[in-house]
Amino acid sequence: MTSALGSPGEAARALTIRDVARHAGVSISTVSRVMNGKRVRPELEQAVQQVLSDLNFRPSAVARSMVNGTTQTVGVLVEDISSAYYAELIKGIEGVLEKTGHHPLFKSSHWNVEFEEEALRVFLDHNVDAIIVVGGLLPEARLAALVGRLPLVIVGRSGLSRVSLSLGAALLTLDQRGGAALATRHLIELGHRQIVHLCGRPTQEDALARLQGYRDAMAAHGLEVRPEWVLEGDFLEVVAYRAMLGLVERKLPFTAVFAANDQMAFGANLALHRKGLRVPDDVSLIGFDDLPVSAYMVPPLTTVRQPAQQLGEAAARAAHDLMNHTSPVLAQLQLNLVLRESTRALRR
Amino acid sequence: MTSALGSPGEAARALTIRDVARHAGVSISTVSRVMNGKRVRPELEQAVQQVLSDLNFRPSAVARSMVNGTTQTVGVLVEDISSAYYAELIKGIEGVLEKTGHHPLFKSSHWNVEFEEEALRVFLDHNVDAIIVVGGLLPEARLAALVGRLPLVIVGRSGLSRVSLSLGAALLTLDQRGGAALATRHLIELGHRQIVHLCGRPTQEDALARLQGYRDAMAAHGLEVRPEWVLEGDFLEVVAYRAMLGLVERKLPFTAVFAANDQMAFGANLALHRKGLRVPDDVSLIGFDDLPVSAYMVPPLTTVRQPAQQLGEAAARAAHDLMNHTSPVLAQLQLNLVLRESTRALRR
DNA sequence: CGCGGGCGTGATAACGTTTTCTGCATGACC
DNA sequence: GGTCATGCAGAAAACGTTATCACGCCCGCG
């Protein structure tokens, strides 16, 4: 182990393929060929490999990208990396991309279309090999313009027919509206009639779909939705908390709450607790998402499970397929009810 | 014959600076100069700017990196992107890097030193301008080898004196041991004597430090730590949940629990609830981290706040300073107790 | 024995920028 | 009015790889 080739301790300029070639007494072409597994005379191959490992040489990914036009990078755009739901989705994406040798480049758009545009620019500038867009507000035309330039996977946007038609894009959605109806129906079947809905951020497509699903289920059972039952929200705990406090204080009668996501359910749960209302004895509470923590809420939260991680995995796989020019097989993912302890039959 | 959908396989080759030069009737040098704000005759500048915006031209970041050796990228290595605590930290990093025009490249090491090594390799291969390492198990020598090659920021690793000594690296830590002592002392001051500690993952430096802090505080008050009070864990809810169930079933007396992180506190909270023990009336419970959800636990969780987001911000700022060759000013961040409703004075 | 065809190797041209160098004006100063 | 500085544009050299091309060698076959 005598690694005494460099003088000790100064601005160690990074090695290049030339250095390897010089040490091995071959041309740079040969070094390149060895690294890429092309045919080379065995003894030369051996020599080069030796130098490669002696010098601990690693070729510059930038230079590689320059010549073969691919970066092994995938741009991933979500609303907020650190939000619990997206974190799960990201975990899925990360997991499969790790295996395919691609590197995700995550960007948060912060629910702001300007940031989304900017992220797209950055992705394009950096020549990512594919883009995964999760939700967001980008107009269809903007997305369509991407198709053909590079593989595009769109997650959680409905009504983007044109884009999906052109090959080179994949569309993944979950039936948010149906899931919301599922949740609401569950409450109805438990005997609840006065069901409050805590809405998500109104600029989010998902929030609207869930509100609609709630209305669907109510209508399907001939139940009126009183305006004071639909409470504005934004997917965050604090707003749900305040809204729920307000509702109780106004003494409006209700027996169940459907929150547009689990985070809001947490807020509602605490508010109800503060007001001395027991969940589920006095009020049934159902959420949406099934975050990892939701199972540990007190009481454990009944909710509609979104397979976020699997969705991320499917998105990454689709991106991978698209990059390989094979048409992606899109797993058909389902929302389903997970029954825990925050809902119960209405006492008559 | 140009069809509306474009010819198949005819992916619009990206524009280059040459195209701009040709359209503007100037040399590529001039285009480059205009883009970089160097002096150019006004009418030429005007013409080039016009073409630039007409063509909506964006220079290739890869080619740029190639020549000026910088990528505007920062490698960020954490245990798990999607874990709640790291998510917050990442949010901080992302926030300030967004402003400095750098792009974070996040990698999860999954508590596996092999993955850590791999991530480092990827960062180096891609020629990131700086690296931020959060926790992890990389040996000091490995980290030291990085110093000098590029700016390095290490978060949450204590006892890395040599590295910190050499300029070009920044070290950020929080006093985990002190924080744990803070939590434990709080319980002691409330009159508790039989205090259980739910340990974090034993391979994690932080977990050990917190255990030590717990012992410190107990010892400082002349309290014995009975072996059956320190419960093995791994920072996850489920293990804490099971451990707590087991403890109660064994009918060992205790009046308070200090969980090594909030997630474990959630698990413990549910277990206690299941066993009919009320928090805080029967058992006081304190966590560590102060995750965003913790304020919405029922009851709201008393915990030791880690300023994760600010820590991330500080790390990113340090990286930025290091890249600018200015010595980083390291904000001195503190852990502090946030009193909520999961602890109360022991009834005598 | 000559010649064509693999095969393996080195030289070299890309890739798309920025930077350096060169050249040509123009203006200033003696 | 000549010489020198100065300003600005274009040509060309870099950056570190991979792909293409051309060449030399050995082998087999006629």
Side-chain angles (χ1 to χ4, degrees):
Chain A
M1 285 225 183
T2 52
S3 63
L5 40 91
S7 321
E10 71 284 345
R13 185 188 52 83
L15 294 172
T16 81
I17 203 178
R18 313 197 97 83
D19 300 310
V20 178
R22 197 159 34 78
H23 278 80
V26 298
S27 73
I28 61 168
S29 313
T30 301
V31 177
S32 173
R33 277 188 272 259
V34 169
M35 292 194 303
N36 298 332
K38 309 270 179 74
R39 274 203 68 81
V40 164
R41 216 167 68 223
E43 61 259 42
L44 282 194
E45 151 124 37
Q46 180 98 26
V48 171
Q49 287 288 15
Q50 187 63 45
V51 176
L52 243 28
S53 71
D54 282 357
L55 265 47
N56 197 12
F57 175 78
R58 311 231 75 215
S60 156
V62 175
R64 273 198 165 153
S65 299
M66 180 90 251
V67 37
N68 53 21
T70 168
T71 55
Q72 302 297 97
T73 323
V74 175
V76 180
L77 180 56
V78 299
E79 303 283 10
D80 180 11
I81 294 187
S82 33
S83 167
Y85 174 73
Y86 294 111
E88 255 195 287
L89 202 129
I90 282 174
K91 192 197 205 80
I93 293 177
E94 193 186 29
V96 352
L97 252 33
E98 224 158 56
K99 295 201 182 66
T100 68
H102 287 90
H103 309 291
L105 191 56
F106 297 110
K107 288 277 166 193
S108 297
S109 66
H110 307 297
W111 297 276
N112 178 334
V113 74
E114 279 307 315
F115 277 98
E116 291 188 62
E117 289 282 4
E118 173 62 14
L120 249 36
R121 271 194 293 271
V122 171
F123 291 159
L124 261 16
D125 289 355
H126 280 71
N127 201 26
V128 298
D129 293 344
I131 293 183
I132 300 178
V133 173
V134 183
L137 302 167
L138 287 168
E140 173 155 5
R142 187 75 188 81
L143 294 170
L146 256 34
V147 177
R149 282 197 65 163
L150 38 54
L152 176 66
V153 178
I154 303 174
V155 180
R157 294 279 306 261
S158 55
L160 297 182
S161 49
R162 275 199 304 137
V163 174
S164 73
L165 283 183
S166 65
L167 244 55
L171 225 59
L172 266 67
T173 53
L174 295 174
D175 181 15
Q176 306 293 334
R177 186 169 169 176
L182 211 60
T184 310
R185 190 174 335 129
H186 169 62
L187 295 173
I188 295 172
E189 285 168 356
L190 288 176
H192 297 279
R193 294 295 174 263
Q194 298 169 312
I195 303 175
V196 168
H197 179 52
L198 280 166
C199 297
R201 178 183 293 246
T203 57
Q204 297 273 98
E205 190 178 309
D206 290 352
L208 269 20
R210 290 175 202 168
L211 171 57
Q212 195 54 52
Y214 159 74
R215 290 190 188 283
D216 291 348
M218 293 295 273
H221 290 78
L223 298 174
E224 180 199 9
V225 173
R226 298 190 44 191
E228 59 267 32
W229 288 347
V230 344
L231 302 180
E232 288 179 19
D234 64 351
F235 284 138
L236 297 180
E237 295 93 346
V238 59
V239 173
Y241 175 74
R242 294 208 196 104
M244 192 53 57
L245 283 185
L247 185 71
V248 175
E249 281 162 6
R250 278 182 290 152
K251 300 210 189 308
L252 295 171
F254 67 96
T255 66
V257 176
F258 165 39
N261 73 349
D262 284 1
Q263 291 189 54
M264 297 186 75
F266 300 152
N269 188 44
L270 179 58
L272 292 167
H273 174 74
R274 281 271 155 74
K275 288 299 181 182
L277 292 170
R278 291 162 303 166
V279 174
D281 302 306
D282 299 320
V283 174
S284 279
L285 176 62
I286 190 169
F288 203 106
D289 279 352
D290 192 25
L291 300 180
V293 274
S294 300
Y296 293 92
M297 202 184 87
V298 170
L301 184 67
T302 292
T303 188
V304 175
R305 170 161 182 73
Q306 293 214 68
Q309 186 171 340
Q310 293 156 56
L311 190 59
E313 288 166 1
R317 259 193 292 270
H320 182 240
D321 290 344
L322 253 19
M323 289 187 276
N324 289 357
H325 303 98
T326 74
S327 59
V329 287
L330 302 182
Q332 204 53 41
L333 296 174
Q334 302 290 338
L335 294 173
N336 52 352
L337 207 54
V338 2
L339 298 174
R340 289 201 273 252
E341 301 162 37
S342 65
T343 54
R344 56 165 286 182
L346 185 65
R347 291 169 306 179
R348 321 196 145 258
Chain B
M1 71 173 249
T2 50
S3 86
L5 288 180
S7 340
E10 212 67 39
R13 188 189 51 81
L15 294 172
T16 82
I17 204 178
R18 311 197 100 82
D19 300 310
V20 178
R22 198 159 32 76
H23 278 80
V26 298
S27 74
I28 60 168
S29 316
T30 301
V31 177
S32 173
R33 278 188 270 258
V34 169
M35 291 194 305
N36 297 333
K38 309 270 179 71
R39 275 205 68 79
V40 163
R41 217 168 66 224
E43 62 260 40
L44 283 194
E45 150 124 40
Q46 180 96 26
V48 171
Q49 287 289 15
Q50 187 63 45
V51 175
L52 243 28
S53 71
D54 283 357
L55 264 48
N56 196 14
F57 175 77
R58 312 231 73 214
S60 155
V62 175
R64 266 194 171 157
S65 300
M66 180 90 250
V67 37
N68 53 21
T70 169
T71 54
Q72 303 296 96
T73 332
V74 175
V76 180
L77 180 56
V78 299
E79 303 284 10
D80 180 10
I81 296 188
S82 31
S83 167
Y85 175 72
Y86 294 111
E88 254 195 288
L89 203 130
I90 282 174
K91 191 198 204 79
I93 294 176
E94 193 187 28
V96 352
L97 253 33
E98 223 158 56
K99 295 200 182 67
T100 69
H102 288 90
H103 309 291
L105 192 55
F106 297 110
K107 287 276 169 196
S108 296
S109 66
H110 307 297
W111 297 276
N112 179 335
V113 75
E114 278 308 315
F115 277 97
E116 292 188 60
E117 288 283 4
E118 172 62 14
L120 249 37
R121 271 194 293 274
V122 171
F123 290 159
L124 261 17
D125 289 355
H126 280 72
N127 199 27
V128 298
D129 293 343
I131 294 184
I132 300 178
V133 173
V134 183
L137 302 168
L138 287 169
E140 172 155 3
R142 186 74 188 83
L143 294 170
L146 256 33
V147 177
R149 283 197 63 165
L150 40 53
L152 177 66
V153 178
I154 303 174
V155 179
R157 294 279 307 261
S158 53
L160 295 183
S161 50
R162 275 199 303 137
V163 174
S164 73
L165 283 183
S166 66
L167 243 56
L171 224 60
L172 266 68
T173 54
L174 296 174
D175 180 14
Q176 306 292 333
R177 185 168 170 176
L182 211 61
T184 311
R185 191 174 333 129
H186 169 63
L187 295 173
I188 295 173
E189 285 169 355
L190 287 176
H192 296 279
R193 295 294 174 263
Q194 298 169 312
I195 302 175
V196 168
H197 179 51
L198 280 167
C199 296
R201 177 185 294 247
T203 57
Q204 297 273 99
E205 190 178 310
D206 290 351
L208 270 21
R210 289 174 205 169
L211 172 57
Q212 197 52 52
Y214 159 76
R215 290 191 189 283
D216 290 348
M218 294 293 274
H221 289 79
L223 298 174
E224 180 199 9
V225 172
R226 301 192 41 193
E228 60 267 32
W229 288 347
V230 344
L231 302 180
E232 287 179 21
D234 64 349
F235 283 139
L236 297 180
E237 295 91 346
V238 60
V239 174
Y241 174 74
R242 295 208 196 102
M244 191 54 56
L245 284 185
L247 186 71
V248 175
E249 280 161 5
R250 280 182 290 152
K251 299 211 188 308
L252 295 171
F254 67 95
T255 66
V257 176
F258 165 40
N261 72 351
D262 284 1
Q263 290 188 55
M264 298 188 74
F266 300 151
N269 188 45
L270 179 59
L272 292 167
H273 174 75
R274 280 270 154 76
K275 289 298 183 185
L277 291 169
R278 290 162 304 166
V279 174
D281 302 307
D282 300 320
V283 174
S284 279
L285 176 62
I286 190 169
F288 203 105
D289 279 351
D290 192 26
L291 299 182
V293 273
S294 300
Y296 293 92
M297 202 185 83
V298 170
L301 184 67
T302 291
T303 190
V304 176
R305 171 162 181 71
Q306 292 215 67
Q309 187 171 339
Q310 293 156 55
L311 190 59
E313 288 166 1
R317 259 192 294 268
H320 182 241
D321 290 344
L322 252 20
M323 288 187 276
N324 289 359
H325 304 99
T326 73
S327 59
V329 287
L330 301 183
Q332 205 52 42
L333 296 174
Q334 303 289 337
L335 293 174
N336 53 354
L337 206 55
V338 3
L339 298 174
R340 289 202 273 253
E341 302 161 36
S342 66
T343 55
R344 54 164 285 182
L346 185 65
R347 291 169 307 179
R348 320 194 147 261

